[in-house]
Amino acid sequence: MTALTDLIPAPRAVEGPMRCEVLFAPETVLWAAPGTGTTERWLRSTVGAALGLPFPSGPEDRPGSVRLYLDDALEPEAYRLSVGADRGVEIRGGSAAGVFWGAQTLRQLLGPDAFRRAPVRPGTTLGIPHQIIEDAPRFRWRGLMLDVARHFMPKEGVLRYLDLMAAHKLNVFHFHLTDDQGWRIEIRRYPKLTEVGSWRARTKFGHRASPLWEEKPHGGYYTQDDIREIVAYAAERHITVVPEIDVPGHSQAAIAAYPELGNTDVIDTTALSVWDTWGINPNVLAPTDNTLRFYEGVFEEVLELFPSEFVHVGGDECPKDQWKQSPAAQARIRELGLADEDELQSWFVGHFDKWLSARGRRLIGWDEILEGGLADGAAVSSWRGYAGGVAAARAGHDVVMCPEQQVYLDHRQSAGADEPVPIGYVRTLADVYRFEPVPPQLSGEQTRHVLGTQANVWTEVMEDQGRVDYQVFPRLAAFAEVAWSALPAPAERDFEDFERRMAVHYRRLDALGVAYRPPAGPRPWQRRPGVLGRPIDGPPPNK
């Protein structure tokens, strides 16, 4: 049994707990109102399997039962969890998602054993003290971006991360599917994207300045059925999957597969292969009608697979050198009456904004898409700090705050010499807990454009699932509380209380098999001695 105050993320309001308990036993019945089926299935397959509780269906009025309701008096993702001897356990949600988040809280109340896959103490009777928890999220976009292009994560690993997101009440999975180092989604119209573009011959080990290479092919991709499975699995957990197809930069894998997509009047694109190192790549898409038609074909298949409102088109780190040298690109600038290459990129992104809008979807891109002007309906992922998000919100665009200096989880967690492949600024658990997504310079009206926040995980130096776990956890737990809970201003947040609750949460992560960074520092097998990183000293800029 878990004390109420050990919950992560912290709930809004609590009444109790009292000494009396509701007991959970094999005869405890589960009653689900229409519309709560996702939580009913999840409770049986997850919590039931972990604790050996079959949760048979039974009458709504059975004493000690677990009951699920929709309640339109609550906000859509809000829930009310009541535990009482006369009524058992009752979860009311403003929507099916609200009921599900209430069930996640119930799982935490049942203790770390509820996070395993099979009973470790069969026959044990569990009790939850009488209490009432009322809760709702601060933001509607509580995201995690996972880069599977630099290092591929097999499907089972992606499904596992969706479960880890759900356990922390995160609800948007930003799926970074394409980059210079790999194309990870099957497009049936263009089979070479995966036949050629999903594998590279070798991989830089460490930062791009490292002399070390892993001399073996690396790659993989998701079939369209894999994608359907991932999207359906996420939907059962009330998580939206937002796909990212990066254009017009970060595109060497696509150009390696189809050389005509590149600036053929500047370089020999037939000589390009899938990139095997890191950094900003000069090989970008040609701004031609052929390229537009090609990617329209890609996005047509993407839209069939992903029902999300938003589609991410990247738009970041697109060097303009090839366009400056390309007669075809310069002719396109003159033809369109554009001022420069920045406006050419804006035209390129704007084309897909209109294309997606015509199909009932919304474009979102990294904050570089602001350069040269941004189409009215587009939203912005503010990654280079707060400035892009502030400019976008002031201009009336929706924003997801994910500043590199604050919530890039590939950045190192300590200044210690044993930190594996140290990248970027030091971002401790306390630093992430004190991250504030809404910049103070936005007015009340402008803050409504902040859809929410997102932590980003770039995997250049994360060669396997264990390395991803190490970089993501425990910091994702702190981020989840920032995204969900109504916390005070950063300087007033009670990090000591969060650490106390984390002492219990580590046991949940242990039960889930998460290879997190321990508070005392990396375990010997989590270190990468001698592998060059790119640490940046001093505090990160807060702008």
Side-chain angles (χ1 to χ4, degrees):
M1 186 182 68
T2 299
L4 176 84
T5 49
D6 292 336
L7 296 172
I8 290 177
R12 280 193 181 180
V14 175
E15 182 181 319
M18 305 174 190
R19 291 191 177 182
C20 302
E21 292 185 328
V22 168
L23 300 179
F24 281 69
E27 58 270 19
T28 299
V29 304
L30 174 59
W31 183 88
T36 65
T38 54
T39 301
E40 178 186 17
R41 290 188 292 274
W42 181 85
L43 279 168
R44 286 200 178 101
S45 64
T46 305
V47 177
L51 299 177
L53 300 174
F55 286 129
S57 297
E60 180 181 0
D61 58 355
R62 174 78 64 86
S65 61
V66 177
R67 294 175 311 286
L68 311 176
Y69 298 93
L70 295 177
D71 187 341
D72 58 12
L74 298 172
E75 301 169 45
E77 288 191 275
Y79 67 88
R80 187 176 190 270
L81 172 62
S82 306
V83 184
D86 56 334
R87 293 285 290 163
V89 175
E90 180 178 292
I91 300 174
R92 291 183 173 272
S95 66
V99 177
F100 184 71
W101 304 133
Q104 294 291 343
T105 297
L106 175 63
R107 187 190 197 185
Q108 290 197 17
L109 293 173
L110 287 165
D113 285 355
F115 290 78
R116 297 188 178 274
R117 295 196 179 187
V120 293
R121 293 170 184 83
T124 302
T125 300
L126 294 168
I128 297 181
H130 293 188
Q131 58 198 277
I132 297 173
I133 301 172
E134 294 184 343
D135 203 5
R138 179 184 179 192
F139 294 110
R140 70 180 179 98
W141 185 302
R142 307 179 300 279
L144 175 70
M145 189 227 71
L146 181 63
D147 163 23
V148 296
R150 273 53 177 268
H151 278 99
F152 179 65
M153 181 177 284
K155 180 193 69 178
E156 287 301 317
V158 174
L159 299 179
R160 173 178 176 266
Y161 258 84
L162 292 169
D163 280 329
L164 292 172
M165 288 178 64
H168 293 84
K169 299 186 174 75
L170 299 174
N171 69 341
V172 178
F173 179 55
H174 175 167
F175 207 6
H176 184 81
L177 288 163
T178 73
D179 218 296
D180 299 301
Q181 296 85 1
W183 185 284
R184 305 292 178 218
I185 177 173
E186 177 189 20
I187 302 297
R188 290 176 177 167
R189 191 174 311 186
Y190 306 122
K192 289 181 183 178
L193 286 172
T194 46
E195 291 170 3
V196 174
S198 69
W199 289 90
R200 57 179 181 263
R202 62 176 187 168
T203 299
K204 175 70 72 171
F205 193 45
H207 183 253
R208 60 180 175 271
S210 166
L212 303 176
W213 294 89
E214 186 178 39
E215 296 285 354
K216 68 177 184 182
H218 175 87
Y221 68 92
Y222 310 102
T223 67
Q224 294 203 354
D225 280 348
D226 290 338
I227 294 291
R228 291 185 182 96
E229 180 182 358
I230 288 167
V231 169
Y233 195 86
E236 280 281 304
R237 286 145 186 80
H238 298 279
I239 295 171
T240 299
V241 183
V242 174
E244 180 181 356
I245 305 296
D246 214 334
V247 298
H250 287 289
S251 297
Q252 183 161 320
I255 298 169
Y258 291 93
E260 65 271 21
L261 296 174
N263 293 284
T264 57
D265 55 350
V266 176
I267 62 162
D268 178 9
T269 55
T270 63
L272 295 177
S273 58
V274 179
W275 213 25
D276 56 14
T277 189
W278 320 121
I280 299 177
N281 190 306
N283 297 303
V284 302
L285 297 174
T288 63
D289 290 341
N290 174 66
T291 301
L292 297 180
R293 299 294 88 75
F294 183 96
Y295 273 87
E296 286 171 2
V298 169
F299 281 116
E300 281 176 5
E301 296 192 27
V302 167
L303 297 191
E304 290 174 2
L305 297 168
F306 296 92
S308 56
E309 175 186 2
F310 287 98
V311 175
H312 208 292
V313 301
D316 61 317
E317 296 180 331
C318 178
K320 310 299 192 297
D321 295 343
Q322 289 185 357
W323 288 353
K324 290 176 180 177
Q325 299 166 27
S326 163
Q330 292 302 309
R332 173 60 43 115
I333 289 174
R334 291 191 298 272
E335 171 198 337
L336 297 169
L338 304 176
D340 54 23
E341 291 76 20
D342 283 344
E343 288 195 6
L344 183 62
Q345 177 171 342
S346 177
W347 165 81
F348 195 107
V349 172
H351 173 86
F352 287 102
D353 177 68
K354 296 183 185 73
W355 190 91
L356 289 167
S357 295
R359 288 154 182 81
R361 306 298 185 95
R362 292 182 65 189
L363 179 145
I364 186 168
W366 302 111
D367 55 52
E368 286 95 331
I369 68 173
L370 289 163
E371 299 165 4
L374 183 58
D376 289 343
V380 171
S381 301
S382 186
W383 76 273
R384 292 181 295 179
Y386 290 100
V390 169
R394 285 175 171 168
H397 295 285
D398 289 338
V399 178
V400 175
M401 285 293 185
C402 49
E404 173 188 19
Q405 303 87 346
Q406 313 297 329
V407 287
Y408 268 32
L409 300 185
D410 46 306
H411 283 209
R412 58 192 174 138
Q413 303 184 64
S414 164
D418 58 356
E419 206 64 32
V421 200
I423 299 294
Y425 295 100
V426 172
R427 292 286 85 194
T428 65
L429 185 65
D431 291 330
V432 174
Y433 190 66
R434 294 193 174 98
F435 163 62
E436 172 49 48
V438 179
Q441 56 266 51
L442 291 180
S443 69
E445 181 64 33
Q446 292 162 353
T447 61
R448 293 191 184 93
H449 286 292
V450 180
L451 299 177
T453 185
Q454 180 173 290
N456 293 343
V457 184
W458 301 102
T459 61
E460 288 94 335
V461 299
M462 299 178 216
E463 71 276 13
D464 56 31
Q465 179 177 283
R467 280 286 290 125
V468 175
D469 278 6
Y470 178 91
Q471 292 298 136
V472 171
F473 288 98
R475 293 183 296 180
L476 192 69
F479 173 80
E481 185 149 311
V482 168
W484 177 277
S485 304
L487 297 177
E492 300 166 12
R493 293 178 189 172
D494 190 347
F495 181 67
E496 288 185 3
D497 179 68
F498 178 76
E499 277 191 306
R500 181 190 60 75
R501 288 180 284 128
M502 277 303 301
V504 174
H505 200 64
Y506 285 120
R507 292 170 56 205
R508 299 179 191 128
L509 297 179
D510 287 333
L512 288 165
V514 176
Y516 57 83
R517 181 189 188 275
R523 296 181 172 96
W525 55 88
Q526 292 175 319
R527 300 167 188 161
R528 296 292 185 274
V531 181
L532 187 67
R534 185 183 60 90
I536 304 175
D537 293 328
N542 192 28
K543 61 183 182 180

